[in-house]
Amino acid sequence: MADLVAPTVLLHRAWLDARDEWGRDVVQHGSGLHHATDVDTPEGFAAWVHALNESADESVPMPEELVHATYWWIVEDGTVVGSITLRHRLTDHLLHAGGHIGYSVRPTARKRGLAAWALGQVLTHARQLGLDRVLVTCDDTNEASARTIERNGGVLEDVRDTELGRTRRYWIVLA
Ligand SMILES: CC(C)(COP(=O)(O)OP(=O)(O)OC[C@H]1O[C@@H](n2cnc3c(N)ncnc32)[C@H](O)[C@@H]1OP(=O)(O)O)[C@@H](O)C(=O)NCCC(=O)NCCS
C-alpha cells in the first residue's frame, strides 16, 4: 500500500537506498534534487528536507523565477519508491515546457501503477489548492509518462519543441 509522504529526515536511510538504486547524480524528476545538494550527511539531508517543505509555504517568499511547490515521496512499506511535486502556479517557462507536476518512480518499482496512482492523488491536492486545471508535460518519446498522464484524464494540447526537447503538453481539468 503506497502513501504520499512529506519529505522527512526519518526516511534518510530509505531515501539513500532509493538514490543508490538510481545512481548518484542521476536526475529524479519531481524530487527537487540538484546536482550539488549534500544528501549524504544528516545535516545536509536535514537542510534539504527543510528546504523542500518550506517551498510549499506560500508565506515564505521564493527566489525570483521559482514558484512555490509541494513535494512528496511515494513510500511503500517504508521503502521510498518515487517522488512527485506540484508547482503551485505556472511561469511562462513552465507554461511552455515544464508544467505543474513532475514525478519519477525508481526503476525496480515501475510498471505497477505507482506513477498513475500518485498523479491521481496529487490532482486532489491541486484541486484543494484552488487550481481548476493543471498542465502536465513529458518528452515526446516518453511513452510511460504519456500513458500515466492520459490515464489521469490528460488531454493533449500540442507537441512542441522546447528547451527540454520535443515536449507533449497535456491539460487535466479538475472538475
Ligand atoms: C514515467 C514513470 C514515472 C512511470 O512510472 P510507473 O510507476 O512505472 O508507471 P505506471 O505503472 O503507473 O504506469 C502508467 C502507465 O504507463 C504504462 N507504462 C509504464 N511503463 C511503461 C513503459 N516502459 N512503456 C510503455 N508504457 C509504460 C503503463 O502500462 C500504464 O499505462 P496503462 O494504464 O495504459 O496500462 C517511470 O517510468 C519513471 O520514473 N521514468 C523516469 C522518470 C520520468 O520519465 N518521469 C516523468 C517525467 S515527465
Side-chain angles (χ1 to χ4, degrees):
M1 168 80 185
D3 275 315
L4 290 190
V5 176
T8 168
V9 293
L10 298 176
L11 287 168
H12 191 189
R13 185 63 258 164
W15 189 91
L16 287 175
D17 287 345
R19 188 281 310 272
D20 290 345
E21 180 178 309
W22 282 95
R24 283 175 189 268
D25 295 331
V26 174
V27 174
Q28 298 180 36
H29 292 277
S31 70
L33 183 64
H34 299 293
H35 175 63
T37 310
D38 167 21
V39 285
D40 288 287
T41 67
E43 300 74 23
F45 191 74
W48 181 56
V49 161
H50 176 77
L52 289 181
N53 287 319
E54 194 175 65
S55 75
D57 183 349
E58 304 228 0
S59 69
V60 178
M62 293 296 283
E64 212 174 322
E65 284 305 309
L66 289 183
V67 299
H68 287 94
T70 307
Y71 291 88
W72 295 269
W73 293 339
I74 309 168
V75 177
E76 200 177 42
D77 300 326
T79 299
V80 176
V81 290
S83 305
I84 189 161
T85 186
L86 169 64
R87 300 167 195 114
H88 295 191
R89 66 177 180 83
L90 297 176
T91 59
D92 288 346
H93 168 74
L94 290 171
L95 176 63
H96 181 58
H100 281 99
I101 298 174
Y103 45 82
S104 58
V105 169
R106 67 192 278 180
T108 55
R110 290 180 188 166
K111 292 195 175 181
R112 289 200 283 109
L114 285 166
W117 171 83
L119 178 55
Q121 296 293 303
V122 168
L123 296 180
T124 302
H125 288 281
R127 205 174 289 121
Q128 287 164 356
L129 206 61
L131 298 174
D132 53 15
R133 63 178 190 156
V134 291
L135 180 71
V136 192
T137 69
C138 67
D139 190 276
D140 192 31
T141 63
N142 193 339
E143 192 181 334
S145 189
R147 285 174 69 167
T148 300
I149 300 165
E150 287 163 6
R151 192 168 160 164
N152 277 283
V155 176
L156 187 66
E157 178 173 272
D158 61 15
V159 184
R160 57 172 78 164
D161 289 317
T162 76
E163 57 278 27
L164 303 179
R166 196 150 176 79
T167 301
R168 298 176 74 83
R169 299 171 64 261
Y170 292 89
W171 289 99
I172 301 177
V173 173
L174 305 172

